[in-house]
Amino acid sequence: MMVATHVAFGAFCAVSAALILHLPAMMALLLLAGGLAGSLLPDLDHPKSWLGRRIPFLSRPIAYLFGHRGITHSLLAVVGVFYASAACLHGWGVQLGHAMPLVLGLCVGYASHLVGDWLTPAGIPLLWPIRIRFRAPLMLLRPRMAEPVMTVLLWFGAGFLMSRAL
């Protein structure tokens, strides 16, 4: 899955979560910001990814130790992102009650990335360190036009849901 599709899916999932939780507009925007950022985080394990090229001092060691679609594409990583982001915000003096939509958004975006990669033939090691790869029963992203069409539909869906939330 390409970066544009991951970001669109992260936005769609974050806006959906904000609607489900009936968050006020400011908290919904924090959740959306977290969802956009979180949707890119799992590919930090690939030095040539969009995020990996911007943070090579983190990307290269992670790629060397775990490879692409290793630990960063697991449920363990989602839990780690939650605790690491909450700890960072707390350490910076940010009240977690006010920042929790951002932390939740990071986790929603991160999980959306995992779902997106689950839809590909390569699958993901969801239960890492167990090396079994989980794949969707139907590979939705094989056709060449499926991903661009899905990206556009996700952005329209996220925009529509955001208009309903405001």
Side-chain angles (χ1 to χ4, degrees), residues 1 8-10 17 24 29 37 43 45 50 52 57 66 71 74 78 85 92 102 104 113 122 124-125 136 146 161 165:
M1 193 176 259
F9 193 41
L29 289 174
D43 280 341
D45 67 358
W50 187 89
F57 58 89
F66 302 106
I71 190 172
S74 70
V78 178
S85 59
W92 294 333
L102 181 64
L104 177 62
H113 184 110
I124 56 170
L161 291 176

Side-chain angles (χ1 to χ4, degrees), residues 49-68:
S49 70
W50 187 89
L51 191 59
R53 288 189 315 251
R54 282 148 183 83
I55 315 175
F57 58 89
L58 287 177
S59 183
R60 287 188 184 124
I62 293 170
Y64 178 77
L65 291 172
F66 302 106
H68 182 50

Side-chain angles (χ1 to χ4, degrees), residues 80-146:
V81 164
F82 175 81
Y83 283 110
S85 59
C88 285
L89 290 169
H90 180 71
W92 294 333
V94 176
Q95 290 183 353
L96 289 181
H98 294 109
M100 198 47 71
L102 181 64
V103 173
L104 177 62
L106 282 169
C107 294
V108 166
Y110 203 103
S112 76
H113 184 110
L114 298 185
V115 169
D117 283 351
W118 174 72
L119 294 170
T120 65
I124 56 170
L126 198 59
L127 301 176
W128 190 95
I130 298 170
R131 303 262 181 216
I132 298 170
R133 289 198 171 264
F134 292 83
R135 295 166 190 82
L138 299 172
M139 298 303 145
L140 299 178
L141 297 178
R142 280 188 185 164
R144 185 164 240 175
M145 287 304 295

Side-chain angles (χ1 to χ4, degrees), residues 20-31:
I20 289 167
L21 296 172
H22 304 288
L23 295 179
M26 195 60 195
M27 292 180 126
L29 289 174
L30 279 175
L31 200 143

